[in-house]
Amino acid sequence: MRRATRKAVSLALAGVLALAAAAGCSEKTGPSSASQNDTPAPQPAPPAQTQELTGEITVYTSESQDLVTDMLEDFVSKNPGVTYKLFRSGSGAVISKIDTELETGSTEADIIWFADIGYMSQLDDKGLIQHYTPKGAEAIDPKFNYNDGMAWEVRQIFSIIAKNTLKCDVEITDWQDLIKPELSGRFAMANPDYSGGAFTTMVGLVGTDGLGWQLYQDMKDNDVKFEQSNGNLQTKVSSGEYAAVSIVDFMARNAENEGSPVQTIWPASGAVMIPTPIAMLSTVKEENRAACEALLDYMLSEDAQKLFIQQGYIPVNPNVGVPEGAPDVADIKTVELDIQDFTQNSAAFRERFAEIYGEG
């Protein structure tokens, strides 16, 4: 009996010890094992939330509508909180629209982009241009910065000559060749009263020794034809309706690259570099200002500069290359264009043109 009791006590004691041991193990591994003095491990901070860019941008431009639309669509794809409105016409019509709106209060335009640096300077004199330096401006030539941030060149456009190789066997190497009798009634250019690029071309050519207003008088005598836009000229020289045209380089180059019988001719005395700057008006609503600034930043970004190349333009950033068929920028000869003369004497140029060709 005594042995059985001892045995029972021993078994009971062993059971107690086993439970204690088990409880000890559980205490070391369980969630309640942390001491009140332990410091919790630091948790990573949540990522900072980037505020989405928002706003609506209204763009007035004389540039090719399809190409401007491509640029704006690419911009909003990167900034989906931004929307835009676009008004496109010839420089003269764009300027008339702005003037009419200003007479009744304020223009709806936020961004202007067309070929009349003189008119932009006039707006600037009235305090209507917001000076701004876009990101990426340090990568481009300072000559593309007009009046300390008033406006910026974002790609380069040149006025040159193009001819249809199937319809024109006349040798053309320079502007003066356009008055050859064989081209009577078969040469065309954009109307300077409608096209800012054509007006700039005129200012450049009449200021060049050996050309002057006599060139325009001789072209009139040779029955020069006028079109409203370079787009019309591209179509009609490609089809052969015109033997030769004065046209912007990227349109001639694009037609040639697409297989049209078009030859691009860089005039021996010089092409005309056409300022087509982009600027932001000071009347932009505050809620749209950041979006407008971002658009100007985008225009000088590498993405936009490469997209300009795809569209056929020569970019202002020399590090991204040039389109197929374009010359090295260093090899392009241009006539001298006096921007100050352009700005101050625009009315006189228009009057002289009207004297030769008549009103309208």
Side-chain angles (χ1 to χ4, degrees), residues 3-4 18 33 38 51 54 95 99 110 162 166 174 183 191 194 210-211 218 220 227 277 280-281 296 339 355 358 360:
R3 284 181 184 174
S33 62
D38 289 343
Q51 187 173 2
T54 60
I95 289 170
D99 283 342
D110 299 317
L166 300 180
D174 208 352
L183 291 177
N191 190 331
Y194 181 83
L211 300 177
D218 291 342
K220 180 180 186 299
E227 295 287 340
M280 176 172 57
L281 295 183
L296 295 182
I339 297 297
E355 289 175 6

Side-chain angles (χ1 to χ4, degrees), residues 26 28 33 37 122 156 170 204 227 261 304 328:
S26 175
K28 290 178 182 177
S33 62
N37 295 326
Q122 293 172 19
Q156 301 179 69
V170 179
E227 295 287 340
D328 188 300

Side-chain angles (χ1 to χ4, degrees), residues 79-157:
N79 300 279
V82 177
T83 59
Y84 69 88
K85 294 179 180 178
L86 178 64
F87 172 76
R88 190 274 160 194
S89 191
S91 294
V94 174
I95 289 170
S96 293
K97 181 174 176 63
I98 295 172
D99 283 342
T100 299
E101 291 175 344
L102 289 175
E103 287 175 0
T104 59
S106 179
T107 177
E108 295 180 7
D110 299 317
I111 298 292
I112 54 176
W113 187 13
F114 49 77
D116 197 324
I117 185 67
Y119 180 76
M120 288 187 182
S121 297
Q122 293 172 19
L123 292 180
D124 192 36
D125 290 341
K126 298 175 183 178
L128 293 173
I129 300 288
Q130 179 66 51
H131 287 227
Y132 179 72
T133 300
K135 296 175 182 176
E138 67 281 354
I140 70 172
D141 193 314
K143 71 180 180 181
F144 296 132
N145 171 7
Y146 298 108
N147 195 18
D148 193 26
M150 174 194 76
W152 294 83
E153 211 70 69
V154 292
R155 76 281 191 274
Q156 301 179 69
I157 295 179

Side-chain angles (χ1 to χ4, degrees), residues 184-225:
S184 178
R186 303 175 65 211
F187 166 73
M189 61 179 9
N191 190 331
D193 283 334
Y194 181 83
S195 166
F199 181 75
T200 305
T201 299
M202 181 178 71
V203 173
L205 295 182
V206 300
T208 300
D209 290 342
L211 300 177
W213 283 111
Q214 188 61 49
L215 173 66
Y216 277 77
Q217 181 63 61
D218 291 342
M219 287 194 295
K220 180 180 186 299
D221 295 341
N222 208 39
D223 193 22
V224 62
K225 303 300 182 183

